[in-house]
């Protein structure tokens, strides 16, 4: 493989990751082959940077026109939800409804497939949005908010390929099963990119703390998912991303 082909492969993977993580119409024109999504999962942190940058730009504009930090934080959070198509919020709500409302493994998975939102899902969304909003509203400085958003969205998505690599799918069909198991190198690169973003934003020492907190959260979430439904699904991955966002934004609110 020459340099041009290697570069084209990187660009293709980034396009796949962004098309999966956002509503931006930049995905590949031809259907994806088996394993391409899993291979391209290394670029999920790059897609996270796109989402985070969108929120940062909106926050900066809101701050520039004189809106208070609370209102600017709402608009920034809304922008990230909009550009991502609320895919991870949907996963969080479905997961909360399934794990909270189902009794058996089959019933939990069935509820998670239901597009309707229940009490557990609504409460989970409220808690997630309120925690993220309060963190952004506390930081206030546009440059610091931008750093927090970029770190949160990149690092949270960096955990997904590792989780998919370690935790088998709970069902034979669905988004996660269809994506396949990422190769080890994709998972390692994703973690490296996420950690690099934390280092740039927090510095090495605090970045290690953030990595540890994210790893502990992923391990606990993996134990819960395996025990409750026998593995991971697309909804489980969406909920994990939300947990990662919350962890990094709360760290930023406390440390920046």
């Amino acid at each position: 493989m020459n340099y041009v082909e290697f570069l084209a492969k990187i660009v293709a993977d980034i396009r796949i990751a962004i098309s999966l993580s956002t509503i931006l119409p930049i995905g590949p024109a031809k259907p994806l082959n088996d394993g391409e999504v899993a291979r391209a999962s290394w670029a999920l942190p790059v897609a996270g940077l796109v989402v985070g940058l969108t929120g940062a730009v909106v926050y900066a504009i809101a701050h520039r026109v004189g809106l208070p930090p609370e209102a600017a934080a709402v608009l920034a959070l809304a922008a990230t939800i909009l550009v991502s198509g609320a895919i991870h919020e949907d996963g969080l709500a479905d997961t909360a409804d399934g794990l909270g409302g189902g009794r058996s493994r089959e019933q939990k998975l069935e509820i998670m497939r239901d597009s309707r939102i229940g009490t557990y899902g609504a409460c989970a969304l409220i808690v997630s949005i309120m925690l993220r909003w309060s963190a952004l509203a506390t930081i206030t400085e546009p440059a610091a908010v931008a750093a927090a958003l970029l770190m949160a969205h990149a690092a949270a998505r960096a955990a997904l390929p590792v989780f998919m690599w370690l935790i088998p799918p709970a069902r034979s069909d669905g988004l996660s099963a269809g994506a396949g198991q990422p190769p080890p190198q994709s998972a390692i690169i994703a973690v490296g990119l996420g950690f690099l973003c934390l280092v740039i934003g927090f510095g090495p020492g605090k970045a290690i703390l953030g990595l540890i907190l994210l790893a502990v959260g992923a391990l606990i979430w993996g134990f819960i998912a395996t025990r409750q439904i026998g593995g991971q699904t697309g909804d489980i991955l969406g909920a994990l991303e939300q947990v990662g966002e919350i962890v990094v934004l709360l760290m930023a609110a406390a440390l920046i």
Side-chain angles (χ1 to χ4, degrees):
M1 182 184 297
N2 59 38
Y3 175 77
V4 175
E5 292 175 339
F6 178 72
L7 185 60
K9 185 177 179 181
I10 290 177
V11 172
D13 285 354
I14 292 175
R15 290 179 62 187
I16 291 172
I18 294 176
S19 68
L20 291 173
S21 300
T22 73
I23 60 172
L24 300 177
I26 65 170
K30 60 180 181 179
L32 298 175
N33 296 323
D34 291 342
E36 283 192 297
V37 171
R39 187 202 68 223
S41 62
W42 70 264
L44 286 175
V46 179
L49 291 177
V50 173
V51 178
L53 181 62
T54 302
V57 170
V58 170
Y59 188 96
I61 293 173
H63 178 81
R64 183 72 176 176
V65 300
L67 291 180
E70 295 81 4
V74 170
L75 293 174
L77 187 56
T80 62
I81 293 173
L82 178 63
V83 76
S84 65
I87 183 173
H88 301 302
E89 284 78 10
D90 179 69
L92 174 65
D94 287 343
T95 298
D97 281 333
L99 300 188
R103 294 186 178 274
S104 65
R105 172 184 179 275
E106 291 72 22
Q107 190 177 22
K108 293 176 191 291
L109 289 171
E110 182 180 355
I111 293 173
M112 290 168 69
R113 279 193 184 277
D114 193 336
S115 61
R116 294 170 296 181
I117 186 170
T119 303
Y120 285 104
C123 291
L125 284 178
I126 291 171
V127 171
S128 172
I129 291 173
M130 288 298 293
L131 285 173
R132 289 180 287 160
W133 168 79
S134 62
L136 292 176
T138 299
I139 298 171
T140 70
E141 176 62 33
V145 169
L149 285 169
L150 291 170
M151 286 190 295
H153 284 277
R157 286 166 176 79
L160 304 185
V162 180
F163 199 83
M164 295 170 67
W165 179 41
L166 295 174
I167 308 297
R171 54 166 71 103
S172 58
D173 60 344
L175 179 62
S176 178
Q181 183 185 41
Q185 58 266 32
S186 292
I188 293 171
I189 293 172
V191 170
L193 291 174
F195 182 64
L196 178 61
C197 291
L198 292 177
V199 170
I200 294 173
F202 284 140
K206 295 172 183 176
I208 292 175
L209 173 61
L211 186 64
I212 292 173
L213 291 176
L214 289 171
V216 170
L219 286 173
I220 294 173
W221 193 231
F223 173 78
I224 293 173
T226 302
R227 186 176 180 85
Q228 293 285 319
I229 59 173
Q232 47 88 5
T233 67
D235 289 329
I236 291 289
L237 295 174
L240 175 63
E241 191 279 339
Q242 293 283 279
V243 171
E245 270 192 58
I246 291 169
V247 167
V248 177
L249 288 177
L250 290 180
M251 275 192 65
L255 300 175
I256 295 181

